[in-house]
Structures are given as structure tokens and as C-alpha cells.
Amino acid sequence: MWLINTITLKLEEFPTEAGLDYAILSHRWGDDEVLFKDLNGSKDLNLLQNKQGFSKVKRCCEQASRDKYSWAWVDTCCIDKSSSAELSEAINSMFHWYRQSSMCYAYLSDVDSLDDIGGSEWFKRGWTLQELLAPHHVQFFGRDWTFLSDKQSLRNELGAITSIPEEALLNFRSEDYCVADKMSWAVGRQTTREEDLAYCLMGLFDINMPLLYGERTKAFLRLQEMIMEYSTDLSIFLWNAKGGGSRPRNSYSEGPAPENQ
């Protein structure tokens, strides 16, 4: 696991997250993000300041340092995506990394005030679902890194926005909810890569599987097959198929239904 030193902004690799107090960032990817090769290979951070994503990494680390965390994890630059093995390990470990974090900062780049939080695109992304549920502590920040509120205080509003029960928001345990419920929370969420709509849900079902980018909708079918290998929960056949309409009994869906279905 790679972590950023919140003072020096240098990357350091750890064999395990056990025993580490670290903050973790939840955000939407934008253009010109700071990548692993940028942060790991740069001896002069001033050279990175022209990248649009640098300010986000820097402000995250500054907030973590103020909160007395020596380390921070940001997915854009803490995963060496040139290594397929490291990428697979990271995606399979991501729910656990968010769960083990001491604090999660949810950066809502399109929100200026707490009144606008419900309209944020952050709630429409696939990966941010586990980033909301896995951490015990989540703080929300607006466009200019102004503190908005925290998950505990916003539990009613978050429940209304996401249709996720308060108990799940505050203390999610996979075994407490049926497959259909957890699948329904993903309805309306999107990912850039088609396969990621399946991969971003692995942690919610406490399963692991290899990544096969290029398999497209087969990834979601494979996710459901993996779920049924370890579960006898037949509610997997109850939630709506992608695109609406009915499915043959005992058949899998190619993805969560669109939000308007």
C-alpha cells in the first residue's frame, strides 16, 4: 500500500495498512490528475503545480496534517496502474482500505454550500458508494475545501439522497443486508469503464475476483456468479434488470437499472 507523507507529499510503500493512522480521499476524477508516476518520480513538487489535480492532493494532505494524520491515500496517485497486479490488488483491497482508514474526506468539487449537497455528482458515481459506506468516519468538504458536515450529522439527508438506511450508512456490514437491497443502492450510479460497475461493488458483497478489463457487461454477470458461489440469498433475482422490463426467472442482470426505471 502506497501512502503520501502529509508533510513532504512524498510516496512511501507499506506492506500492510495495519497499525497506520491515515486519512483517505473520496472524490470524482477530473482532467489532468496527479498520477503515481508523477508523484513517485518527481524530485521537485513545484513541477506538478500546473496539473489541475495537484491542488486536490495538496489540500487533502494539508487537512490530514491539521488533523494529526501523517499519511494520506489518494487513488489517483497511490496506485501504480502500470502494474496490472498492483491495480488488481488495489481494487480488491479498496473497500478494506477505506474501512481501515482513520478518516475519509469526501471532496465535493461541485458544491459550494451544504444546501447544495444533494445535487452533487459525487452521489452518482459507482466508486463513491463504497467510499460512503466503508469508512467509519466521513467528513464532507465543498469546492474550496470548506468543511460542510460529517456523515453522522448528515445521516438523514444522506439517507434521503441515496435511499440507504441510516443503520447501513453509519455501520455497514455486508451480512446485514440482502443482495437485492445492496444492488438497489447502485441504481443510477455510473462508472467511466463499463467493467467498473461490477468491480466497484465487490467490497459491498465481501467478495474478490480478478479484473478483466475488456469483458464489458460480462463483468457484472461474473460478479453475480461470484455472489451466488458464497450465498444462498435468492433476492439477487428480484431487483430490476438494466433497462427495465422483466427477466427470465433465475437469470442474472447485465447491470443495475437506470435511475428513471
Side-chain angles (χ1 to χ4, degrees):
M1 182 185 194
W2 292 93
L3 291 171
I4 309 170
N5 184 304
T6 57
I7 301 298
T8 67
L9 269 64
K10 297 293 186 180
L11 283 170
E12 186 167 337
E13 188 174 19
F14 295 87
T16 175
E17 79 289 340
L20 292 172
D21 287 327
Y22 61 92
I24 200 165
L25 180 67
S26 174
H27 67 113
R28 292 187 300 123
W29 277 55
D31 297 325
D32 200 23
E33 294 283 4
V34 175
L35 306 178
F36 177 85
K37 63 180 180 179
D38 299 322
L39 207 56
N40 193 48
S42 178
K43 295 181 180 180
D44 185 359
L45 293 177
N46 291 324
L47 299 177
L48 299 179
Q49 294 196 26
N50 290 330
K51 294 183 75 70
Q52 293 182 26
F54 181 74
S55 175
K56 180 166 48 179
V57 175
K58 187 172 183 287
R59 296 295 294 271
C60 173
C61 288
E62 288 174 347
Q63 184 63 47
S65 181
R66 282 193 293 270
D67 292 339
K68 309 302 182 185
Y69 299 120
S70 299
W71 306 101
W73 189 88
V74 181
D75 61 346
T76 57
C77 52
C78 290
I79 304 173
D80 182 3
K81 297 179 179 65
S82 67
S83 167
S84 58
E86 181 168 331
L87 177 61
S88 181
E89 179 184 1
I91 290 182
N92 275 277
S93 302
M94 206 168 289
F95 184 92
H96 182 71
W97 287 348
Y98 275 89
R99 173 55 57 93
Q100 294 301 115
S101 66
S102 300
M103 177 61 68
C104 176
Y105 302 133
Y107 174 58
L108 311 186
S109 60
D110 54 354
V111 170
D112 292 311
S113 70
L114 188 57
D115 293 337
D116 303 327
I117 193 171
S120 176
E121 290 293 318
W122 186 87
F123 292 102
K124 299 178 182 179
R125 303 306 297 171
W127 289 105
T128 57
L129 176 57
Q130 69 173 2
E131 295 164 13
L132 174 64
L133 293 174
H136 295 293
H137 305 287
V138 180
Q139 292 182 344
F140 292 90
F141 291 83
R143 190 192 314 269
D144 60 354
W145 279 89
T146 299
F147 175 73
L148 299 174
S149 191
D150 59 72
K151 182 163 71 167
Q152 172 75 27
S153 302
L154 286 176
R155 59 190 183 276
N156 292 331
E157 291 88 343
L158 294 173
I161 295 168
T162 63
S163 300
I164 299 174
E166 178 181 320
E167 298 79 11
L169 287 168
L170 299 182
N171 187 28
F172 173 74
R173 297 192 310 167
S174 182
E175 63 270 23
D176 290 343
Y177 302 92
C178 71
V179 173
D181 283 342
K182 288 179 285 190
M183 286 291 190
S184 72
W185 302 338
V187 169
R189 292 180 179 263
Q190 300 175 336
T191 56
T192 302
R193 296 291 298 268
E194 193 169 7
E195 298 86 352
D196 283 338
L197 195 55
Y199 302 155
C200 73
L201 298 179
M202 294 191 296
L204 267 67
F205 294 97
D206 194 22
I207 64 170
N208 300 99
M209 64 185 199
L211 310 185
L212 298 173
Y213 283 106
E215 64 177 334
R216 301 176 68 84
T217 58
K218 291 180 182 178
F220 207 86
L221 297 175
R222 193 158 55 90
L223 171 70
Q224 293 167 96
E225 291 171 352
M226 290 292 295
I227 291 171
M228 293 308 296
E229 276 192 32
Y230 298 99
S231 172
T232 57
D233 182 359
L234 297 182
S235 72
I236 193 171
F237 300 115
L238 298 180
W239 62 285
N240 287 334
K242 187 174 183 179
S246 60
R247 284 183 287 145
R249 181 171 295 181
N250 296 337
S251 67
Y252 295 133
S253 169
E254 294 183 350
E259 194 171 19
N260 62 351
Q261 293 295 328

